[in-house]
Amino acid sequence: MENELSTHRFYLREFEKGDWPAVHRYAALEAVSRYQPWGPNTEEESRNYVEQLLEQAAKSDRVQFAFALVWKENGQLIGAGELFLQDRANRVGEIGYILHPDYWGKGIATEVAELLINFGFSKQGLHRIYATCDPANAGSKKVLQKAGMIWEGTLRENLRMKDGWRDSLVYGVLEQEWQSRSDSSWLSE
């Protein structure tokens, strides 16, 4: 496991086949999928999701880096973080994260976003990393801002949801902006 993917409270590791029941514990919840085009998941959908992640991880030209979020205190898988290499030529990536509601409001998602951003810049050589969120998702907007991302604009009706089209807010950070950050104390040594 790389140091960049660990904090004093949790670590991010590659997914394993047996992780799907833990994924299902949060992916089956309406609160978790409220702002997503998927879910709440059935057991089969959660199992298939983990299998797809394992297939991606095995590719030599991998573009999706999905990590299980494990809480150190109890060893439980409580969420996930992902980095997608959206455009290799222009060195652009997108991050995403998800967390069981029992762990909301503790700053964990912000730390996950920071770890993913650092991984994207330091290990994947990216120049720009962005994330999107539903305009109504106040928690996710706060996470992205705290993680050092800047609001860049709104994509209008770019995502088809269960009940119609959704706008997406776009937040981004550039490599030089990230490198100029003086506070990297959240990283484990």
Side-chain angles (χ1 to χ4, degrees), residues 8 13-14 16 25 30 35 64-65 79 85 103 117 135 138 151 164 174 189:
H8 69 283
R13 64 160 170 78
E14 296 280 353
E16 301 166 359
R25 279 193 285 280
E30 171 61 35
Y35 300 112
Q64 181 181 17
F65 295 84
L85 304 181
Y103 294 85
I117 292 167
W151 178 70
L174 301 175
E189 295 300 325

Side-chain angles (χ1 to χ4, degrees), residues 20-143:
W20 77 263
V23 169
H24 188 67
R25 279 193 285 280
Y26 62 79
L29 302 174
E30 171 61 35
V32 172
S33 64
R34 178 179 304 132
Y35 300 112
Q36 303 297 329
W38 54 265
N41 278 7
T42 63
E43 285 189 5
E44 182 180 354
E45 288 169 329
S46 294
R47 187 181 297 116
N48 288 341
Y49 170 72
V50 172
E51 288 175 9
Q52 290 170 2
L53 295 178
L54 296 175
E55 288 173 15
Q56 263 297 320
K59 291 184 176 182
S60 60
D61 60 344
R62 185 175 183 182
V63 296
Q64 181 181 17
F65 295 84
F67 301 101
L69 167 57
V70 179
W71 194 245
K72 287 181 177 180
E73 185 176 298
N74 59 18
Q76 296 293 309
L77 190 159
I78 61 166
E82 298 185 29
L83 171 70
F84 298 89
L85 304 181
Q86 294 289 11
D87 182 344
R88 285 187 193 269
N90 290 300
R91 298 172 38 211
V92 176
E94 178 182 11
I95 63 164
Y97 45 83
I98 196 153
L99 193 60
H100 192 286
D102 289 350
Y103 294 85
W104 288 359
K106 301 175 191 294
I108 300 165
T110 301
E111 290 180 31
V112 170
E114 290 173 331
L115 287 172
L116 293 170
I117 292 167
N118 195 63
F119 176 74
F121 289 134
S122 68
K123 301 299 181 187
Q124 298 303 315
L126 297 178
H127 173 70
R128 178 177 179 273
I129 296 174
Y130 72 95
T132 63
C133 73
D134 188 302
N137 190 343
S140 199
K141 287 191 279 190
K142 189 183 295 185
V143 164

